[in-house]
Amino acid sequence: MSMQSRTHLYDLLESTLFTEGLDDHNDLWSLGFCAVWVQGVDIATIAAHFSLDPGTRTPCYLSEILDEAIDDGSLWVAEVGDWTCVLPARTDAPFVRSLAAGGGQALSLDMDINNNALFQYARDGRMVVAFEPRCPGDRLGDDPHALDHLMEGLRFQISGDEATDDRVDSDESLASALALIGRVTRTDIAADWFEAQHSRMRSMSP
């Protein structure tokens, strides 16, 4: 069996979201990808945080959520163990901290059309660590090195122009961030999240 490429998780996420028929120029950056993973919060509370109507819950694969979000503003809500992923999601720091209030945990990853990316990890209402995946040395938060033991073996820092061998590019850096989320949640980021059928919910009616 051949080894998976170092960008496998990034490539899988991109190909899952952008199914056939979409413009070849679409990618996670142009989409403005943003997702949160929340632990210790029940589905009703998560629905309230995101102004979702639990009564509209319908089975949904990640590959279907873009069309559904365009049609009616649905969000993808995926439960694995005691973690729940919401996508697309609000990911500003105060909101991520609020999701982790009361002893919970929250992770977020977002990328925008301006080529900005951010990983955040909050616990019990505090921002533990936040960093740009492609430049992980500049970490912020109450405990910037809290996840170092889980980052072992992952490659984040993108290579400079002088590097010619074994380079790290943005795709690999973001794949490492996705792998880190899998390690924190103790789940298979591909099989448990990206490829599995979960649910979608529509926004509450005004």
Side-chain angles (χ1 to χ4, degrees), residues 67-88:
D67 288 339
E68 300 296 345
I70 291 170
D71 287 344
D72 60 20
S74 290
L75 302 185
W76 194 61
V77 181
E79 297 177 89
V80 180
D82 58 353
W83 286 87
T84 302
C85 176
V86 180
L87 184 164

Side-chain angles (χ1 to χ4, degrees), residues 1-2 17 29 33 45 57-58 60-61 66 68 75 78 91 106 122 126 129 133 137 146 148 169 179-180 185 187:
M1 181 180 296
S2 61
L17 283 171
W29 298 98
F33 174 80
T45 302
R57 195 171 187 182
T58 307
C60 182
Y61 285 98
L66 280 187
E68 300 296 345
L75 302 185
T91 56
R126 301 179 301 110
V129 57
D148 283 10
D169 61 14
L180 177 58
T185 60
T187 60

Side-chain angles (χ1 to χ4, degrees), residues 75-154:
L75 302 185
W76 194 61
V77 181
E79 297 177 89
V80 180
D82 58 353
W83 286 87
T84 302
C85 176
V86 180
L87 184 164
R90 179 180 165 189
T91 56
D92 59 276
F95 184 68
V96 173
R97 290 198 305 270
S98 73
L99 293 173
Q105 300 181 83
L107 299 158
S108 72
L109 179 63
D110 64 81
M111 307 156 56
D112 66 28
I113 198 170
N114 296 315
N115 206 36
N116 298 310
L118 183 65
F119 171 94
Q120 298 179 101
Y121 170 58
R123 185 175 58 224
D124 197 20
R126 301 179 301 110
M127 186 60 67
V128 177
V129 57
F131 61 91
E132 205 316 357
R134 297 168 299 178
C135 186
D138 299 326
R139 301 179 211 180
L140 304 174
D142 290 352
D143 187 0
H145 297 285
L147 299 181
D148 283 10
H149 64 294
L150 295 177
M151 295 169 69
E152 194 170 328
L154 301 177

Side-chain angles (χ1 to χ4, degrees), residues 37 107 109 119 176-187 189:
W37 286 258
L107 299 158
L109 179 63
F119 171 94
S176 292
L178 293 168
L180 177 58
I181 290 167
R183 291 180 180 185
V184 175
T185 60
R186 298 183 181 182
T187 60
I189 202 75

Side-chain angles (χ1 to χ4, degrees), residues 9 11 16 20 25 64 68 74 79 98 101 107 136 161 168 178:
L9 290 176
D11 297 337
T16 301
E20 291 183 22
H25 296 295
E64 302 167 328
E68 300 296 345
S74 290
E79 297 177 89
S98 73
L107 299 158
D161 293 339
V168 178
L178 293 168

Side-chain angles (χ1 to χ4, degrees), residues 6-24:
R6 289 171 173 169
T7 62
H8 169 67
L9 290 176
Y10 179 92
D11 297 337
L12 176 62
L13 177 57
E14 188 170 78
S15 64
T16 301
L17 283 171
F18 293 107
T19 52
E20 291 183 22
L22 290 175
D23 193 311
D24 289 341

